Amino acid sequence: MQGVIEAALQMALGYMRTRVQFGKPIGSFQALQHKASDLYVQQELVRAVRDEAVHVLDVDTPTVERVRMASRFKARASDSGLRITREVIQLHGAIGFTDEYDAGLYLKRALVLSAWLGNASAHRRRFTALQQENGI
């Protein structure tokens, strides 16, 4: 999912640099800069949770903590992946929906990956249940 997120966001940023509207690249418009910044923050949140998950899995931690971290990462990656890929389609406009452009492919892949092994809601419920069981 992280690869999909990064590729989709890079595609959108490249498009924003090259697409010209009203004589200026659309990336110079403040509203689109804000949207791109929000998407970048989502990408970095996924990276941060991934790094924490790798650390938890790398050291000798209890199984319940490993399961909690896996659910936390899956929920974050699923939510961010779907949000980013949907917004990338919006940033591209009509071209984002065409089969010849990869933005739609990234959205389809994010949809499949977010549902695979449980969606974000299921993993948030699992995370919460494990926290309550262990008094965290």
Side-chain angles (χ1 to χ4, degrees):
M1 182 67 88
Q2 187 168 4
V4 169
I5 289 170
E6 291 174 4
L9 187 55
Q10 288 305 312
M11 175 190 290
L13 294 176
Y15 182 75
M16 289 172 63
R17 287 184 199 101
T18 58
R19 173 76 165 100
V20 175
Q21 189 70 36
F22 306 112
K24 295 164 48 174
I26 63 171
S28 67
F29 301 144
Q30 190 174 23
L32 297 182
Q33 289 174 354
H34 288 230
K35 188 174 282 206
S37 296
D38 288 343
L39 298 180
Y40 179 75
V41 167
Q42 289 297 314
Q43 174 184 291
E44 292 304 306
L45 284 171
V46 171
R47 267 195 195 141
V49 175
R50 182 215 53 207
D51 290 346
E52 187 177 350
V54 166
H55 174 71
V56 166
L57 295 172
D58 197 31
V59 297
D60 190 27
T61 56
T63 302
V64 70
E65 180 63 26
R66 290 170 178 245
V67 171
R68 277 181 60 245
M69 187 52 67
S71 287
R72 180 177 172 207
F73 176 67
K74 172 68 167 141
R76 167 56 60 197
S78 294
D79 284 342
S80 294
L82 290 174
R83 179 176 177 197
I84 288 171
T85 53
R86 286 178 177 144
E87 293 288 334
V88 163
I89 296 236
Q90 291 294 313
L91 288 170
H92 281 84
I95 194 174
F97 285 106
T98 63
D99 287 338
E100 293 81 26
Y101 211 69
D102 286 341
L105 173 71
Y106 291 134
L107 174 60
K108 290 175 190 173
R109 189 66 183 148
L111 286 166
V112 169
L113 289 174
S114 69
W116 185 55
L117 300 176
N119 63 13
S121 298
H123 280 281
R124 278 193 294 276
R125 283 192 304 272
R126 181 180 175 199
F127 179 85
T128 302
L130 288 170
Q131 277 192 303
Q132 290 173 349
E133 282 178 15
N134 296 302
I136 296 175

